[in-house]
Structure formats: structure tokens, C-alpha cells
Amino acid sequence: MRRPQLLTHILCTTIVAFVISAPPPAYAAATITVFTNDGATEGFNDPTPATPVGGNPGTTLGQQRQIAFLYAANIWAKTLDSNVEIFVLASFDPLGANVLGSAGASVIVSNFPGVGSFPGSAFPNTWYHSALADKRAGVEQAPGFFDIRARFNTQFTFYLGLDNNHGPLSDLVVVVLHELAHGLGFSTFVTASTGANFAGQTDIYSQFTLDVADNTVWSDYGMDSQRAASALRVDRLVWIGSASLAAVPHVLSFGRPELAFNNPPALGPSVRVGTAAFGPALTSAGVTGHVVLGVDSSTDPVPPAPSGSSRMPASHW
Amino acid sequence: MKLHTGKARAFGKARRDLTRVWLLAAAILVAGTWLPSSLWTLNAQPPGQRGNAVREDLVKKLTGKKFRVDTQTGRARPATEAEARETVEQLTTLLPTPGAEPEIVRRSNGTQIANVDGLFNRTVIARPREDGTIETRCVATLEEAVAFLSGETAADLEDR
């Protein structure tokens, strides 16, 4: 299906354009412009009355969605550093049960030069999300196209406050922050099931995706099957961007908890476990004790209690 | 933060045409290269219009799994086959289509551009826990979404 109507369609439809300009740049700033093609009485324009919540002063459901979305986009605008405007097309639509929202890059670019002092693409034959490509090129690479397309679900009840006090609900600000990140650059264009690159070129995300099992970044795998196998190695894939590596010691705990069975040995090798929300934190020294299966009914048979030890092994880094 | 509303109503056909011409001219000026007209008709199919067949194996896998919420009790309940099918259909429209090949425009300076609108989307989905609260996951593939909704864990994935 050809889509010459993309730009036309957007201009023909009722448009609300929100321009989010960060304050004058101190160390970083970008401008994010959000468009919506929602109708006059739906999605971002839903007139259903709403009570202001958690610092969101909107008095209709649509207003609250707008304010929460823009709040999240503004966080990115203040965090990023780009002299090229970032365009987002966002909408609220019925997406069915179990879905919160969906987003990604609209356009991808490779082998682009920079203008002036802008460096252009850092790697040859590597796809970039257009917002990132624009930043590195210093100029818009695909005029007339959105950088990011985002859809959220009208059938899902989000918390629309701005204060992170979401309780058991999903916080729209957090979900939008997360989804916009995918559109900005935090996503690969590799087909996960086959490991195939898009159109025979790797992508910028894969240049920084390291499989610690074989110490290889995804862009260096010679065969698609290697990437496909790597994609299934849970807890072996890490991001090696310099900013993330610098932040790791401050935000993550090293290692992962495992449960090893001392007796009976027939229970097999160690298994992955989560840490408890009670008691002292698990340390690398670990703890040893009996494991008992909890049962709901006194009539249920209780299996023999194996003994085992749980530990936090040293990091695989 | 500035808020602009109601701009679109001012755009008639003539103004749309003028805008298109202006954008094309700006593109040529800014990019410094000739922009092929085909850029305006890159043929990525948007989500919801791809017409993919529903994966019956995934419908079967989801049927009976507790990913729907009982409106009376607020607790997780098994999904019917119709609900499983509806969910697979919906997720198929939102998640990437393996093997899709949108057109790639190659500029004279070597730059390549592809309109991949929707082809590499990530989608956040939710499943109810037994206590009525929800658990969310951002997924990249239909298989990953169905695995999550059917209750599989990361350890299950690794054990395959």
C-alpha cells in the first residue's frame, strides 16, 4: 500500500500541535513537537469530565492525557541535546484489552553526512532512528515525516497524575517516557525470530548490544542465526554505551540470585530465583537452609523438603 | 511549553498543495541534495492495515490462559477462544511484521532512508496477577507478547 497521503492526511485531519520547547539550553535541550490526529471528541480531545489528579490540572480526560503526555515529552526535551526539531505523531485509540500502547521510529536513515561540525553517522552501513540521525547530521534527514509514531489505548485506565503516585495503576507519564525512548533510539531493527538485519545493514542499537556469553556485539555477528540465538540468552545481553556503563554502579546490583540444591542432588543444577521483599538483602555470600513448598490446603501432600543454598554469584562482567 | 491548537482547520486544499511545495523546496535547500519524489510515497504499511492472517497456533496457546480480568471479581480469569483470537488479531496489527520490506530511498550522497512506520514498534502489554494487580511488559514480537500473556517467565524462555 502506498502512502502519499501521509503528510496530506495529517494536515487534513483535525490537528493539535503541541510544541515543547525546553528552557534556553544550559547543557542540553531539544524541541519536541507532538501532533495528534485524534478526532474532536476522542483520545486527546475526549471531553469526559475529569477531576484534577496528582498535579495534573486538566478537567477533561482528553486534557489530562495531553498534559501527561507533554509532561513526559518535556522530560526528554530537557534531557536530549539536538538542534533539529523532533516530530511525534501521537494518538489515543481503542487498542483492545491487555494493551497499553505502542511506539517506534517512523523513519530510519543510514550513511548520512554531517553539516559543519556535526559528525554524521558514526558507523557506516548502520541504520539510525531519524531523530538520532538528525541530531548527528545537524539537519533534518526526512523533511515532512514524523520521527516517532506513538499510539495509546483508550480502553486502558492509566494514572494521569504527574507525581508518580500511581498506586496499582499504570502511570501514563512513565509509559510515554519509555515508549518515546524506543522511537528516539533505544530499539533494534533486527528481526528477533530470525536475527536478520533490516535490509542487510546493522543498526545503531546493535552496535552497543553486547552478548557477554561470547563477548560479541550484535553488529559483529556474521550470521543471522547467531543474533537469533543471542536474543534468547536471558541475562547475557547488556548495553555498553559509555553513559550507561558509567551509571551502572550507581543504579544496578551486580550478579543474579540463584538457588542451588545440596540435597537431594536429583533436583538438578541451580535455578533462577527472585529476591524476597522481606528480610535482609541477599549477599554474594548467600544463605543456606531448607526449602519448603507452601500449600494452600492441609489435605494436599507435602513433598519432602530439600535443602539448598541461595546466593548472588559474582557478576559475569 | 507552548500549546497550539486548531491549526488544521485553516488548511484547505490549495494551502495543502502550497505546503507540500514549500516542504519539498525546503528539503532540497536543507539537505543540499535532490530528494527523489518517491520519498513521498514510501510504502511502509501502517499497523492495522497489513492484513496478516491470524496465527492459529498462538490463538490456541492463549485460549484458557488467565490474562483477562473478571469484571465482577476483579481477578484474573481464563480467556475464551474468541478473546484469545481477538487479542492475537490486535497484537498482530501493533507489532512488527517479520519480512516486511519497505522501500528504501538512496540519495546521490549515499544516504539511505526508509519509512518504517510501525514495522519496528514496541508495544506495552499487561496481564493480571492473581491478586488483581497488573504486570506490564514491553514486547517486540507477537511470540513474545503471547508468551507473556500466557504466563511464561524469562526462565521459561531461557529453558527453550
Side-chain angles (χ1 to χ4, degrees):
Chain A
M1 174 184 172
R2 302 181 77 80
R3 297 197 66 208
Q5 79 279 14
L6 177 63
L7 188 65
T8 306
H9 168 75
I10 292 159
L11 294 176
C12 279
T13 314
T14 301
I15 287 182
V16 181
F18 316 97
V19 178
I20 300 165
S21 298
Y27 60 92
T31 297
I32 298 177
T33 302
V34 182
F35 289 83
T36 180
N37 56 359
D38 281 343
T41 59
E42 52 115 13
F44 281 112
N45 303 313
D46 190 322
T48 305
T51 303
V53 57
N56 186 330
T59 55
T60 68
L61 182 56
Q63 285 177 1
Q64 291 194 351
R65 287 170 173 163
Q66 286 181 30
I67 291 168
F69 194 100
L70 295 177
Y71 185 85
N74 198 37
I75 291 173
W76 275 120
K78 287 189 289 189
T79 305
L80 299 174
D81 183 2
S82 177
N83 73 332
V84 182
E85 195 168 359
I86 298 167
F87 293 100
V88 178
L89 176 60
S91 60
F92 263 87
D93 303 299
L95 300 179
N98 302 97
V99 175
L100 283 72
S102 181
S106 294
V107 175
I108 61 176
V109 188
S110 71
N111 295 325
F112 52 91
V115 297
S117 60
F118 289 91
S121 48
F123 302 94
N125 302 319
T126 299
W127 292 112
Y128 282 71
H129 308 65
S130 61
L132 180 56
D134 292 347
K135 166 192 159 65
R136 292 191 61 88
V139 66
E140 176 67 53
Q141 294 296 299
F145 282 80
F146 291 105
D147 296 297
I148 298 171
R149 177 70 169 102
R151 296 173 178 81
F152 292 88
N153 192 0
T154 53
Q155 297 168 298
F156 191 87
T157 303
F158 287 99
Y159 177 71
L160 298 172
L162 312 178
D163 57 358
N164 200 32
N165 189 24
H166 52 80
L169 297 177
S170 284
D171 191 326
L172 180 63
V173 170
V174 173
V175 177
V176 171
L177 269 176
H178 176 109
E179 289 303 296
L180 289 183
H182 289 311
L184 290 165
F186 287 92
S187 57
T188 179
F189 306 132
V190 168
T191 300
S193 57
T194 64
N197 289 320
F198 174 70
Q201 293 184 22
T202 187
D203 58 68
I204 189 60
Y205 191 85
S206 295
Q207 295 278 9
F208 295 94
T209 302
L210 174 70
D211 188 327
V212 296
D214 56 14
N215 201 35
T216 303
V217 291
W218 272 27
S219 55
D220 285 348
Y221 281 128
M223 298 171 63
D224 294 348
S225 58
Q226 292 175 301
R227 265 184 300 276
S230 173
L232 295 178
R233 285 197 275 272
V234 177
D235 284 355
R236 294 294 186 270
L237 286 177
V238 296
W239 175 258
I240 55 169
S242 57
S244 294
L245 289 178
V248 161
H250 308 294
V251 296
L252 294 179
S253 299
F254 284 94
R256 61 178 186 179
E258 291 180 350
L259 178 66
F261 301 104
N262 300 325
N263 181 42
L267 287 177
S270 65
V271 296
R272 189 82 47 80
V273 294
T275 54
F278 53 86
L282 190 61
T283 67
S284 58
V287 294
T288 300
H290 291 287
V291 177
V292 178
L293 179 65
V295 291
D296 292 333
S297 167
S298 59
T299 60
D300 290 339
V302 179
S307 62
S309 61
S310 185
R311 66 185 190 281
M312 188 83 77
S315 166
H316 47 65
W317 278 51
Chain B
M1 187 187 312
K2 293 180 290 185
L3 182 68
H4 299 276
T5 60
K7 278 184 176 178
R9 293 190 178 91
F11 283 88
K13 182 177 184 303
R15 185 158 181 177
R16 286 200 303 275
D17 291 340
L18 184 62
T19 302
R20 196 179 295 173
V21 170
W22 181 87
L23 284 170
L24 186 57
I28 293 169
L29 281 174
V30 169
T33 57
W34 178 71
L35 195 61
S37 59
S38 58
L39 179 60
W40 303 99
T41 59
L42 291 174
N43 63 348
Q45 291 187 338
Q49 297 181 27
R50 296 183 194 133
N52 290 337
V54 173
R55 290 268 304 273
E56 292 299 331
D57 58 323
L58 299 181
V59 173
K60 185 177 179 182
K61 185 174 181 178
L62 271 184
T63 301
K65 297 294 172 23
K66 288 185 172 182
F67 67 89
R68 288 295 176 102
V69 175
D70 186 322
T71 53
Q72 300 295 319
T73 65
R75 298 298 178 104
R77 65 163 175 79
T80 65
E81 181 180 348
E83 289 169 335
R85 182 177 303 281
E86 177 187 67
T87 299
V88 173
E89 282 177 351
Q90 188 65 37
L91 290 172
T92 301
T93 68
L94 291 171
L95 286 162
T97 306
E101 296 180 354
E103 182 182 350
I104 298 171
V105 171
R106 292 173 173 80
R107 290 180 179 162
S108 58
N109 66 354
T111 299
Q112 298 182 43
I113 302 180
N115 179 357
V116 295
D117 189 16
L119 294 181
F120 297 109
N121 277 0
R122 299 297 184 268
T123 298
V124 182
I125 57 177
R127 68 183 181 192
R129 298 188 183 97
E130 284 294 333
D131 64 1
T133 61
I134 63 165
E135 181 179 7
T136 61
R137 174 78 56 86
C138 189
V139 297
T141 68
L142 188 56
E143 292 80 4
E144 192 181 354
V146 169
F148 175 70
L149 292 178
S150 62
E152 290 185 13
T153 64
D156 294 328
L157 185 68
E158 190 174 35
D159 290 343
R160 283 180 192 165

